[in-house]
Amino acid sequence: MSVKDLHAYDLIQEEKLEGIKSQGYLLRHKKSGARLLLVENDDDNKVFAVGFRTPPSDSTGVPHIMEHSVLCGSKNFPAKDPFVELVKGSLNTFLNAMTYPDKTVYPVASCNDKDFQNLMHVYMDAVLYPNIYEHEEIFRQEGWSYKLEDADAKLEYNGVVYNEMKGAFSSPEGVLDRVVLNTLFPDTSYANESGGDPEVIPQLTYEQFLDFHRKYYHPSNSYIYLYGNMDMEEKLDWLDKEYLCNYDAERVDSEIKFQQPFEQMKEVTIPYSIASDEPQEDNTYLSYNKVIGTSLDRELYLAFQILDYALLSAPGAPLKKELTDAGIGKDIMGSYDNGIYQPIFSVIAKNANTEQKEAFIGVIEDVLTRIVEKGLDTKALEAGINYHEFRYREADFGNYPKGLMYGLQMLDSWLYDESRPFIHIEALETFEFLKKQVGTRYYEDLVQKYLLDNTHGAVVIVEPEKGRTARMEQELECKLKQYKNSLSREEVEELAERTRRLEAYQSEEDSEEDLNRIPVLKREDISRDIEPILNEEMTFAGIPAVFHEIETNGIGYVDILFDLSGVPAEELPYVGILQSVLGIIDTEHYDYGELFNEINMHTGGIGTTLELYSDVTDVRSKAFKATLEIKAKALYGKLPVAFDMMGEILTASKLSDTKRIKEILAMAKSRLLMRFQSAGHLTAALRAMSYGSPSARFKDMTNGIEFYRKIADIEEHFEESKDMLAEHLQHLAGQLFRPDNMMFSYTASREGLEGMESLAAGLKQRLFKETPDETPCVLHCEKKNEGFKTASKVQYVARTGNFIDNGASYTGALQILKVILSYEYLWQNIRVKGGAYGCMSNFNRIGEGYFVSYRDPNLKRTIEVYEGIVEYLKNFTVSERDMTKYIIGTMSNLDQPMTPAAKGDRSMSLYMNKVSADMIREERNQILDATQGDIRALYRVVEAVLKADQLCVIGSEEMIEENRELFETVTSF
């Protein structure tokens, strides 16, 4: 990039970023004072982000409400929801906004140049010129408002953020995270809840809300980031002329203050809510938290990630092991949060009791003291360094563009020192430094200084309280009733009128003129070509293999699939347990901690999963193939170690070690419950689908509510059942891990095939040679329509069914319907008007369909909204422009850029599901050629889904009891 022509900017720093193969530039806009960071490389997945330092001065959630609200229309794009219009009609690879404790970030990404420019334009306009000043209704919709249907109705609070945070505050882990942060930094903005405390959110006034924008959303307080392969000079020139030149530099006091260390550790105990039938015993969270320097210390920032691995996070790590052995908590977790100015190292014992506090602290401090005296396990440190360095070099962030993740990491230093944005992203030197410190006293001295001698810490205890949610809801109801009673009849009428005005605003259609201002691509901008399917059938040592030839930067991705079709139905939960145990239990040659370290010293990791593949060529039979898979990734030269370790896990695991199995079951149960609370929408949808789908029933029995209940039952009666459990697992391993029951999937370049024959032969020799049982897996489904009561204040409402069973068929247009429902009909009725945080739908090739809401204050009303989809589709009317928009939004979901590993996984999944290139091509054409009539015809699919009448709700026990007549069964997990 040539910087000499950039008259509007000062170049402050230029740096070659070897670790991420990029060139970095730090600039300042002369007139406005905006800070800019450019990362130039050949990545077509371009990223733009604009962020602001937004330290909250209270817990009203104003940064979070602002994040939602600025995306609800702006000067140049006055439609009510440009964000949703972009989701519907953009080829984005990422489009969202995030509120953190000290910053708010608005990132977008796209591989299409025109689309990328459109996204930049809408986002810059949104943050600098939002419509919040013209329409108080935006604040009332996204933040909070009084809801009064008529003068005689019950007064309530509503609002998207208000309901979202009611859900977030229902999670004990969420409560713990917040209280730890607030307790450790009482004199800084971290003492406040940036997301908003539901009890405090209604104190926020509209004027305070606007003042927050006036103060912080100014270019002088901005952090603008551009990443990827683009004309940087053009983008800088555009930013200057369109936006930044309109502002003069100001001093914005947004500095994140430093918390002076405490003279002694603090202790805080707070309650969280549990359902009335949950036990209080073994339900407390104990946490030990220390502040670790600042995130501007380049070596410390990474060194404590290594220490977190070696001390706590790895299976068999000393803190985890000794707390577990001492019976303090059933799930030992921890974290090192270095995404704030003063990072936090935490040790957490879940499912503990308050009276164990002293023992908890004692074990932690004894272990740390012993480690300082005797030294850390050097293999654990080396494994931790390799683990993090492998991930840094691989740069595989799943569905998130790597440019986005790099930008967020740069903010970990840039936000607190604007001259040092590159210190953490350019990490190769830091890794080299940390490698050299192994075997010196470096790591032990860090433990002494920051964990043992450091008084800037807190013990935070979160205790269960039965009926807390109901009590708080009752108190809120009384408070609102008293407030309403204190008003005159005119004032009450005015509240009802405000509710009607908000509903009218929400129902008002955007003008064509306003909608047309939001740029949309054309159908012709989308290629009809499909992503290549890279499947080459071959054999490794006589074992069937599918090879996916992809350039992987020298990494081989090995996946070994073991067929589960011979496992009888009643044994399926044990398959789930076997999968949970493998890799984190002792083997003949390693204890489980050594095994994990050995794997991470030499490879990029080994893990096991359960996968399910449905035969799309025979949907009526509901045939599917389930597999237990072991996956490894390693540089080609290290594949022999990976194969050796996989063989060790599969054939030499000590499945008779019932003490360790009991620990793993307790941990698995804890993690499942956390998932049910955080991803209740997926849990409810899977459970409801299991009423009629054998494949969904399989998933539920091995990783859902049925599986949770099975392990809870085994744990409760462990002494009587442990020997039988060990026998089950050993028998299953012998039955499954046989050469004639396996196949390979391998992703690498052609040169990565070298040596695979002999590696496969070596593994084949080690596998079991048992005679298989010939018991086919037959799964029976039964409709239950359940309500699962929790201590949450919100619901996840799922309605599911198989549309092929009821006479409809699959078409690519259903992918468009997902976009239309999620960002039009369901969005308007469930999120905008209903106040839920989210809503989604899905339809697949085997006929499974669902509608589900996320953190939803309603239940019966949501079901009525689902029922209304049929009429909505029968009358669906759309302009050609809007139809194009929906199609482009659909293609954006289908055409996400993929990492080499993801390309291999996609090809294998298509192979196993028997999806051909012709089927994908046909689906793609059905999408690109879809008309209004095609969408209208889909009412039959929705009618068929609803006809199955399969309902599952996870949520507030009061709301579920209130609507008990909707369910066949009301229960708890």
Side-chain angles (χ1 to χ4, degrees), residues 60 63 97 166 263 277 325 371 434 442 454 486 518 532 546 642 658 699 747 773 816 835 912:
T60 57
K166 275 175 78 173
E263 288 183 10
D277 55 358
D325 288 348
I371 279 169
L434 292 172
Y442 174 78
N454 183 8
S486 74
I518 297 164
V546 183
T658 52
K699 286 183 198 168
T747 303
D773 292 341
I816 307 173
M912 295 294 289

Side-chain angles (χ1 to χ4, degrees), residues 124-138:
M124 280 301 289
D125 210 64
V127 297
L128 293 178
Y129 301 122
N131 277 349
I132 56 174
Y133 296 94
E134 283 75 47
H135 298 290
E136 184 178 345
E137 291 91 345
I138 294 171

Side-chain angles (χ1 to χ4, degrees), residues 735-758:
Q735 287 287 301
L736 294 176
F737 305 141
R738 310 185 326 263
D740 61 334
N741 193 48
M742 70 187 276
M743 70 183 296
F744 284 102
S745 170
Y746 182 50
T747 303
S749 62
R750 185 68 54 179
E751 65 178 298
L753 281 171
E754 195 179 324
M756 283 301 287
E757 189 75 15
S758 63

Side-chain angles (χ1 to χ4, degrees), residues 128-190:
L128 293 178
Y129 301 122
N131 277 349
I132 56 174
Y133 296 94
E134 283 75 47
H135 298 290
E136 184 178 345
E137 291 91 345
I138 294 171
F139 167 65
R140 295 295 166 203
Q141 172 181 295
E142 298 299 321
W144 78 275
S145 62
Y146 287 114
K147 182 180 176 184
L148 188 65
E149 297 290 356
D150 58 61
D152 300 318
K154 188 167 77 173
L155 184 62
E156 297 173 307
Y157 288 137
N158 201 14
V160 173
V161 168
Y162 176 75
N163 288 322
E164 177 190 350
M165 296 312 291
K166 275 175 78 173
F169 269 60
S170 298
S171 149
E173 290 81 16
V175 171
L176 177 63
D177 287 347
R178 275 181 277 280
V179 176
V180 167
L181 185 70
N182 305 158
T183 304
L184 289 171
F185 306 105
D187 307 318
T188 77
S189 58
Y190 292 138

Side-chain angles (χ1 to χ4, degrees), residues 898-910:
M898 288 180 283
T899 61
K903 287 178 182 176
D905 286 345
R906 167 187 174 267
S907 291
M908 190 61 183
S909 177
L910 295 173

Side-chain angles (χ1 to χ4, degrees), residues 12-79:
I12 295 167
Q13 205 176 319
E14 182 175 351
E15 193 165 325
K16 194 165 179 58
L17 306 173
E18 299 279 2
I20 62 168
K21 300 180 179 66
S22 305
Q23 190 70 23
Y25 304 90
L26 178 63
L27 308 174
R28 181 179 285 276
H29 187 254
K30 291 175 185 175
K31 186 169 186 288
S32 69
R35 307 166 188 84
L36 294 97
L37 196 56
L38 316 183
V39 176
E40 199 170 37
N41 53 40
D42 61 1
D43 191 344
D44 288 331
N45 197 4
K46 295 168 281 292
V47 178
F48 164 77
V50 54
F52 302 90
R53 261 198 319 220
T54 50
S57 57
D58 56 36
S59 293
T60 57
V62 60
H64 188 188
I65 297 168
M66 189 62 68
E67 175 232 305
H68 281 239
S69 300
V70 299
L71 295 169
C72 293
S74 63
K75 184 172 80 175
N76 287 307
F77 305 103

Side-chain angles (χ1 to χ4, degrees), residues 424-436:
H424 300 315
I425 205 65
E426 190 51 8
L428 292 176
E429 280 180 27
T430 315
F431 279 119
E432 287 310 308
F433 168 82
L434 292 172
K435 285 175 195 173
K436 287 174 186 161

Side-chain angles (χ1 to χ4, degrees), residues 518-529:
I518 297 164
V520 176
L521 300 175
K522 298 183 171 67
R523 295 194 200 201
E524 302 83 76
D525 292 328
I526 311 284
S527 166
R528 288 188 180 257
D529 296 337

